[in-house]
Amino acid sequence: MSDVVVPTRHGDIPVHVAVPDVPGPRPGVVLVHDVTGMSGDLRLQADWLAREGFLAAAPDLFHRGGRLRCLRAAAKDLGARRGRTFDDVEAIRSWLTAHPRCTGRTGVVGFGLGGGYALALAAEHGFSAASTNYGGCPEGAEQWLPRACPIVGSYGGADRTPLGGDAGRRLEGILTETGVEQDIRIYPGAGHGFMNHHDPAALSPVLRAIGRFRRSGYDDPAAQDARRRIAAFLDRHLQERTDEDVPADSPG
């Protein structure tokens, strides 16, 4: 596990990289953080994915300073589905695909705000699979989700924010109607951020207040099940296919 600096068109960006212990090239995963930015939890999420056999890269998308200023910019970019934040993620994806330990196939995993990015990045951004975790389902998503890669989504049934269970049900309906391969699950009783185990001492008073308002909190049973599903889904869609993987009667 190490921290590196990756160049982008807007300047260098710090990235936590977690390398799997298994030998040989492995699929890559870009992690997109929540509103807390780079955190101990984000590093642990990358380390967990590395233990599952993925080369994981977690950039600090708020590194240019001023959490609120960066958060506003990231939210604006997400609404437009383009901008500097998307450029940064693309730079990390390109760096990851060229890494000697990467097979060249990549997925994206996001939490909260980052879950919204995972959805936006699922279509036409070079990823082979996406994992959105309580990332909502924005208006107009039905226009571009039909072109999305396979999506695994996890939502809290007790999450009453616009990013919660109702958004998960809407996402599942769109993906079902458009035929995008999916695995969407809503966990009864789990609130917002149930996969993130943030140290309260590391959060600002504002973020602690937002967490209490949203009834956010880590939920171990839901988190462990979601991680199991995410790892299996990514493994299935990021492994390189060979001629032996294609059934003999498969067309093409």
Side-chain angles (χ1 to χ4, degrees):
M1 317 306 169
S2 63
D3 288 347
V4 303
V5 174
V6 175
T8 79
R9 60 185 294 188
H10 304 289
D12 293 346
I13 184 169
V15 183
H16 175 70
V17 179
V19 181
D21 291 334
V22 293
R26 303 296 301 166
V29 175
V30 178
L31 286 89
V32 187
H33 56 64
D34 59 16
V35 297
T36 62
M38 178 59 73
S39 64
D41 174 78
L42 184 68
R43 294 172 183 271
L44 291 174
Q45 301 288 357
D47 296 348
W48 152 64
L49 284 164
R51 290 194 299 273
E52 295 291 340
F54 303 100
L55 178 64
D60 181 1
L61 298 173
F62 292 172
H63 75 288
R64 294 184 176 93
R67 185 194 305 273
L68 289 179
R69 179 171 64 84
C70 290
L71 179 56
R72 285 195 296 267
K76 181 180 178 181
D77 290 350
L78 181 57
R81 294 186 58 236
R82 60 184 177 84
R84 188 171 65 182
T85 310
F86 283 87
D87 295 341
D88 286 345
V89 173
E90 172 55 26
I92 304 306
R93 190 194 68 82
S94 297
W95 176 86
L96 195 57
T97 58
H99 195 286
R101 288 297 310 276
C102 186
T103 62
R105 291 176 64 82
T106 56
V108 58
V109 176
F111 306 91
L113 172 71
Y117 267 90
L119 280 181
L121 291 160
E124 302 170 335
H125 284 276
F127 291 105
S128 298
S131 167
T132 177
N133 303 288
Y134 29 90
C137 183
E139 293 298 322
E142 60 276 2
Q143 297 176 14
W144 45 268
L145 278 176
R147 302 186 298 277
C149 62
I151 295 173
V152 53
S154 300
Y155 292 82
D159 182 356
R160 302 309 180 195
T161 75
L163 308 180
D166 288 344
R169 282 181 278 272
R170 179 169 178 269
L171 173 63
E172 184 175 26
I174 294 173
L175 298 180
T176 298
E177 183 176 346
T178 56
V180 174
E181 188 167 352
Q182 59 165 299
D183 175 3
I184 308 299
R185 184 164 300 178
I186 299 168
Y187 291 93
H192 186 77
F194 67 85
M195 288 182 65
N196 300 115
H197 208 170
H198 291 297
D199 178 1
L203 301 177
S204 70
V206 171
L207 288 176
R208 288 198 295 271
I210 291 174
R212 289 192 296 271
F213 175 76
R214 288 181 167 181
R215 298 182 179 178
S216 302
Y218 180 75
D219 185 309
D220 189 66
Q224 293 299 334
D225 186 71
R227 289 182 183 133
R228 175 191 59 78
R229 291 173 41 248
I230 292 167
F233 194 88
L234 293 177
D235 187 67
R236 185 162 68 250
H237 292 286
L238 297 185
Q239 294 295 340
E240 289 186 297
R241 296 189 63 177
T242 65
D243 292 341
E244 288 76 16
D245 296 324
V246 181
D249 58 351
S250 176

